[in-house]
Amino acid sequence: MIVHEALVFIQRVLWYDSGMSNVRLSVIIPTYNEENRLPKTLKAIDEYLRGQSYEYEVLVVNGGSTDRTAEVARTMMGEIKNLRVIDVENRGKGYAVRQGMLKAQGEYRVFMDADNATSIDHVERMWPEFQRGYEVVVGSRDIKGAVIAVPQVWWRRRLGDVFNLIVQLCSGLWGMWDTQCGFKGFTKKAAEQIFSKARIDGWAFDVEVLMLARKYKYRIKEIPVTWVNDPDSKVKLKGMIKMLFEVFQTRINFLRGQYS
């Protein structure tokens, strides 16, 4: 533990002394018990970003993991360029993403899943949309050009369709059939305003974030992504039911003016 704390301190000193205040891209990875999948994902991200001409950072947000996720991430700090590890409470994916977004330094901030279901090189599809003036660019598995490399089982697809229909009815996000894709990007201004107001800690945080983006009149653009389904996905039926309650709670929050 002492070694880890010393490593983190040294990294922070080197970080600020190296002039990393001009970070163009922050990549946020929320994690919970990802000691097995995280190393491969970090190496893939590192390989891609090292080939880019802009400054960047990679933030692993450890959401109270009970395995060696935090330790594994920190041992890779010498291997993965500009890697930071942030420890937060185990309050859900939404909470972890929110903390990462607000602690990031990048002019553009993207969060992605620890299983690398949608790879970091998809950010290349985001840059043109940011240049066109969109402040929120979200990946979608349900628009033209999207590829699902490993399809989900049929009942999960049907369940997902029902869930998305209910989401659209409750949220007003008409026409957005994939609010839950774990690859979304924001400008610095949009990220700081939206995530500073967000309240949902669980899986339905994506819906809340998009509703807030609409409320604050940010322009949203969907881009097609290639998505590889992970059979060990942590989103189970019980989790989807909880997500629906969170969507309802978000609507109630809006009606009560709690996002003003």
Side-chain angles (χ1 to χ4, degrees):
M1 182 62 69
I2 295 176
V3 173
H4 284 163
E5 291 176 352
L7 183 59
V8 171
F9 175 77
I10 293 172
Q11 182 197 40
R12 287 174 178 170
V13 172
L14 293 175
W15 179 268
Y16 291 110
D17 285 348
S18 62
M20 290 301 292
S21 58
N22 297 318
V23 180
R24 177 173 174 80
L25 177 66
S26 296
V27 180
I28 293 97
I29 310 170
T31 59
Y32 178 74
N33 290 352
E34 295 287 359
E35 64 174 327
N36 294 322
R37 298 189 295 187
L38 184 61
K40 183 177 179 181
T41 298
L42 286 177
K43 290 177 182 178
I45 293 171
D46 184 61
E47 181 180 2
Y48 171 79
L49 290 178
R50 281 180 183 268
Q52 308 310 308
S53 60
Y54 50 78
E55 297 288 354
Y56 62 87
E57 63 176 349
V58 181
L59 283 70
V60 171
V61 185
N62 172 43
S65 297
T66 57
D67 67 355
R68 297 176 59 252
T69 295
E71 180 182 348
V72 168
R74 286 192 168 89
T75 59
M76 298 185 71
M77 290 170 66
E79 175 184 356
I80 306 300
K81 184 180 178 182
N82 300 336
L83 172 63
R84 287 200 283 158
V85 182
I86 300 171
D87 293 305
V88 299
E89 302 171 59
N90 178 16
R91 290 172 53 178
K93 181 180 179 181
Y95 182 77
V97 170
R98 185 160 73 246
Q99 297 306 308
M101 282 285 174
L102 295 177
K103 288 179 171 61
Q105 300 179 23
E107 288 300 313
Y108 299 92
R109 304 174 187 187
V110 174
F111 72 80
M112 61 180 290
D113 292 332
D115 61 3
N116 205 27
T118 298
S119 55
I120 187 59
D121 58 337
H122 282 76
V123 75
E124 293 181 11
R125 301 182 184 182
M126 290 184 166
W127 295 131
E129 307 306 337
F130 284 131
Q131 293 300 314
R132 293 186 182 101
Y134 291 98
E135 297 95 348
V136 180
V137 183
V138 301
S140 175
R141 297 160 290 188
D142 285 290
I143 62 175
K144 184 178 180 180
V147 176
I148 299 180
V150 182
Q152 292 178 311
V153 294
W154 68 269
W155 65 268
R156 286 186 68 90
R157 295 198 299 271
R158 297 291 78 79
L159 196 61
D161 291 340
V162 172
F163 174 81
N164 287 328
L165 181 59
I166 295 174
V167 166
Q168 292 184 63
L169 289 171
C170 292
S171 66
L173 298 171
W174 298 107
M176 296 191 68
W177 283 95
D178 188 11
T179 59
Q180 302 308 119
C181 181
F183 196 86
K184 292 181 172 66
F186 306 80
T187 63
K188 176 181 179 179
K189 179 181 177 182
E192 291 180 348
Q193 183 174 22
I194 291 171
F195 286 93
S196 65
K197 296 292 186 181
R199 294 166 173 256
I200 299 299
D201 292 338
W203 296 103
F205 82 97
D206 296 87
V207 177
E208 180 188 45
V209 162
L210 293 172
M211 291 174 69
L212 286 169
R214 286 273 179 90
K215 172 181 173 61
Y216 299 132
K217 302 187 185 307
Y218 287 116
R219 297 178 63 195
I220 304 173
K221 179 66 176 181
E222 293 180 279
I223 59 168
V225 299
T226 296
W227 186 71
V228 181
N229 177 49
D230 187 341
D232 296 325
S233 171
K234 290 177 167 45
V235 185
K236 308 301 182 184
L237 178 59
K238 181 179 179 181
M240 295 192 73
I241 294 174
K242 183 180 179 181
M243 286 167 64
L244 288 179
F245 280 104
E246 291 176 341
V247 171
F248 295 144
Q249 183 61 55
T250 301
R251 170 49 64 188
I252 291 172
N253 290 345
F254 268 90
L255 293 174
R256 290 178 175 175
Q258 295 186 10
Y259 297 110
S260 299

